[in-house]
Amino acid sequence: MTTRTRAQWQAMADKLEIRGQAWINGEYTEASSGKTFDCISPIDGKLLTRVTSCDEADVNRAVSVARSSFESGSWSQMAPADRKRVLQAFANKIDEHREELALLETIDMGKPISDALGDDIPGSANCIRWCAEAVDKIYDEVAPVGEGKLALVTREAIGVVAAIVPWNFPLSMASWKLGPALATGNSVILKPSEKSPLTAIRVAELAEEAGLPKGVLQVLPGFGHTAGKALALHPDVDCLAFTGSTKVARQLMIYAGESNMKRVWLEAGGKSPHIIFADTPDLEKAASYAAMAIGCNQGEVCTAGSRLLVEASIHDEFLPLLKKHLQTWQPGHPLDPETTSGAIVDDIQTRNVMRYIEAGQEGGAQLVMGGRQVMEETGGYYIEPTVFDQVDNKMTIAREEIFGPVLSVISFNDEEEAIRIANDTDYGLAAALWTGNLSKAHRVSRRLRAGSVFINNYHGGDMTVPFGGFKQSGNGRDKSLHAFDKYTELKSTWIALD
Ligand code: NAD
């Protein structure tokens, strides 16, 4: 995807002008407290820049700007076709700046440059463009209420939306909120993760260059317990659109209840089962997907196939295939275009993952591959792809989301047992199964309690298809027209005709 060499990317990174300020009311702004935090690259542990640390005072200011921009109608009352043109221009700006944005994403959170350039940045532009193109093609409803009256069912923008997003796909997760929320006419305040704020800060300026009126999109970098909490408790925020951990998701429901009952949409964690039945015709292919499902993005993926359920009769044949394919996901320098797996986002997450690896060993699982932190001489954070065999679904490593390249292999004996183990989790984000039997594929997929089920593939995704979770993986759906429901209220208007 990228024709540049690692040295060329490095030279570009060295010259990059990095902005770390908040974007409030169309201007780069320091926090009113003057506080900043260090933005450290996980590639080598070096300081990239100091980032504005917003807190309650900055949130209050941004919410008041957002409210004024919403009430002014400069965006919310604009014809959908005109909003479409502005958002298309915004998407084009993201495409034009894709190398700069990919580089920011890679140095900020450690993902391979080929992924950032090939997937994250164009995917984000595509999301904004898709929502823009959709918005002037959606009609409202006239209800069949009978003679003498007319009832209209219309959608209205909800108002001020706070989007709080994680660090694993920083711009993609932001765009899954920005696309539908902006297209439907809301004013949005985006709080990126403190671990990966750089691309969010940069795209706010690009949006304004594309013609988005001042104050319609603002970006507040800061910590969860300061900026995030203040947004979630603010009485004038109408909607909270969150992607992140289940632990924080729960807390946000409490904040909403304690404040103004703002709408809360949650895309949370996962512990997805990936089932390999013995009748899978191409085990080699299944093994390569099983490796990719835990290897890509360093395993820092909400839908990572982190529980591999293998039918006992093929276990001994499948494990060597899996290990062979996982070798292609060994960590490398994120700016090297050949790298498939980069750096873990920071030292805290690295220690978390290493603690889980210790817990796996202490809990009696058998470490059959990896298990070490590597490339420590770089000053950055890298972990080998790690496989535990003989895992019991009750073990900590099978129950908790590790969010790193650590795979638990669990054996099962028949279809019933596979379904039982797969569903025996608090989460319900994704699930996958491999089989050559079409009836079995349908039968099992219907019984899997997950928002997305992949049959004979993994990580399928498209803007036309909704994405989200069952159970404690969240509520509501990102992507597709279903995402528009999160950012609009339905209004019923009754008109007497006599
Ligand atoms: P996190 O929950 O720690 O943080 C997410 C965001 O919430 C960050 O911006 C953080 O600053 C903010 N936050 C933290 N505490 C807060 C508080 N008390 N009030 C308000 N905001 C607060 O998650 P993370 O570590 O950034 O991301 C990893 C998690 O995200 C994983 O659990 C992963 O599964 C999940 N995720 C889910 C999806 C999905 O679509 N379901 C996609 C990507 C990531």
Side-chain angles (χ1 to χ4, degrees):
M1 191 65 206
T2 160
T3 51
R4 293 187 189 279
T5 63
R6 171 175 160 186
Q8 285 171 326
W9 282 111
Q10 188 63 61
M12 283 168 70
D14 293 342
K15 280 195 246 138
L16 208 55
E17 191 192 333
I18 302 175
R19 302 298 305 239
Q21 290 97 332
W23 180 260
I24 301 179
N25 202 18
E27 281 171 17
Y28 281 121
T29 310
E30 302 294 347
S32 51
S33 68
K35 284 189 191 155
T36 60
F37 60 89
D38 289 350
C39 180
I40 305 285
S41 176
I43 295 180
D44 51 16
K46 291 195 181 132
L47 180 73
L48 290 170
T49 190
R50 295 205 159 78
V51 172
T52 300
S53 184
C54 293
D55 63 18
E56 193 179 345
D58 309 296
V59 165
N60 289 343
R61 186 170 162 231
V63 173
S64 138
V65 168
R67 176 60 59 195
S68 304
S69 75
F70 183 73
E71 299 296 341
S72 78
S74 64
W75 181 249
S76 53
Q77 301 298 319
M78 192 187 267
D82 295 331
R83 286 204 298 267
K84 172 181 76 176
R85 274 186 277 279
V86 172
L87 291 177
Q88 283 173 326
F90 179 28
N92 292 344
K93 288 261 172 201
I94 294 175
D95 276 337
E96 284 159 26
H97 290 263
R98 67 182 176 279
E99 287 201 330
E100 176 196 353
L101 292 167
L103 204 45
L104 280 175
E105 201 96 314
T106 290
I107 60 176
D108 200 7
M109 66 70 66
K111 71 171 59 212
I113 189 71
S114 300
D115 290 0
L117 192 71
D119 297 330
D120 293 68
I121 308 304
S124 302
N126 182 47
C127 171
I128 306 279
R129 189 175 289 116
W130 191 93
C131 294
E133 285 168 354
V135 76
D136 65 348
K137 293 159 192 82
I138 301 170
Y139 290 70
D140 287 326
E141 299 162 23
V142 176
V145 289
E147 288 304 306
K149 52 206 174 231
L150 176 65
L152 307 178
V153 184
T154 53
R155 284 165 208 266
E156 292 183 2
I158 198 163
V160 175
V161 172
I164 299 181
V165 295
W167 47 262
N168 60 332
F169 294 100
L171 194 55
S172 296
M173 294 303 104
S175 68
W176 289 7
K177 316 294 184 202
L178 295 182
L182 290 173
T184 47
N186 297 281
S187 290
V188 182
I189 300 171
L190 171 64
K191 195 206 85 63
S193 167
E194 58 278 18
K195 296 178 197 265
S196 63
L198 300 183
T199 44
I201 292 171
R202 183 69 181 100
V203 295
E205 194 181 6
L206 296 180
E208 198 166 303
E209 284 174 21
L212 199 69
K214 255 188 209 340
V216 171
L217 170 59
Q218 303 178 88
V219 177
L220 298 188
F223 291 93
H225 61 275
T226 54
K229 181 175 175 182
L231 280 168
L233 280 170
H234 201 292
D236 207 24
V237 168
D238 300 298
C239 169
L240 196 56
F242 172 79
T243 300
S245 63
T246 293
K247 181 171 166 228
V248 173
R250 278 207 198 95
Q251 188 58 47
L252 297 185
M253 296 178 102
I254 295 171
Y255 291 151
E258 284 173 348
S259 53
N260 61 340
M261 252 176 78
K262 53 180 71 65
R263 306 291 174 265
V264 184
W265 301 111
L266 306 166
E267 298 291 345
K271 191 76 193 175
S272 302
H274 193 168
I275 308 171
I276 317 290
F277 285 110
D279 62 4
T280 301
D282 188 347
L283 284 182
E284 185 84 45
K285 185 174 174 195
S288 81
Y289 273 75
M292 179 272 287
I294 193 65
C296 75
N297 212 46
Q298 308 74 242
E300 298 163 329
V301 182
C302 52
T303 48
S306 53
R307 288 186 299 142
L308 188 67
L309 277 53
V310 181
E311 193 153 355
S313 59
I314 55 161
H315 172 275
D316 292 353
E317 184 186 352
F318 193 74
L319 216 62
L321 295 176
L322 171 73
K323 283 159 67 177
K324 178 181 84 177
H325 285 284
L326 259 177
Q327 286 299 343
T328 63
W329 296 94
Q330 291 291 351
H333 195 289
L335 290 180
D336 184 332
E338 298 298 318
T339 291
T340 54
S341 178
I344 301 293
V345 71
D346 65 2
D347 58 340
I348 300 172
Q349 183 61 10
T350 303
R351 277 185 269 125
N352 285 345
V353 176
M354 292 310 295
R355 265 197 297 273
Y356 276 114
I357 292 174
E358 277 165 36
Q361 286 171 295
E362 283 160 13
Q366 196 184 336
L367 182 67
V368 293
M369 180 173 173
R372 291 175 308 162
Q373 189 177 345
V374 291
M375 294 168 64
E376 285 178 80
E377 69 287 356
T378 59
Y381 314 107
Y382 302 85
I383 296 178
E384 293 176 314
T386 297
V387 179
F388 282 103
D389 194 13
Q390 312 294 334
V391 176
D392 186 303
N393 200 49
K394 291 191 177 52
M395 291 177 184
T396 305
I397 54 168
R399 301 217 74 80
E400 296 182 13
E401 187 182 38
I402 299 176
F403 226 53
V406 182
L407 181 63
S408 293
V409 178
I410 304 168
S411 293
F412 65 89
N413 290 304
D414 57 30
E415 191 178 312
E416 264 322 298
E417 193 185 11
I419 294 167
R420 185 183 56 70
I421 298 172
N423 287 336
D424 179 17
T425 170
D426 293 337
Y427 298 105
L429 195 55
L433 66 104
W434 291 73
T435 175
N437 179 330
L438 184 63
S439 309
K440 183 176 179 177
H442 280 288
R443 199 166 60 229
V444 175
S445 77
R446 283 186 180 199
R447 292 182 59 196
L448 292 173
R449 305 286 299 153
S452 297
V453 177
F454 309 114
I455 299 175
N456 296 342
N457 73 92
Y458 207 94
H459 283 328
D462 191 81
M463 268 311 293
T464 55
V465 181
F467 180 89
F470 285 21
K471 301 198 275 184
Q472 292 184 44
S473 289
N475 62 347
R477 293 294 180 266
D478 280 337
K479 302 168 92 180
S480 82
L481 289 182
H482 292 281
F484 285 47
D485 295 342
K486 303 206 290 198
Y487 305 104
T488 49
E489 290 283 19
L490 276 188
K491 178 176 280 179
S492 304
T493 307
W494 288 87
I495 302 164
L497 297 183
D498 47 13

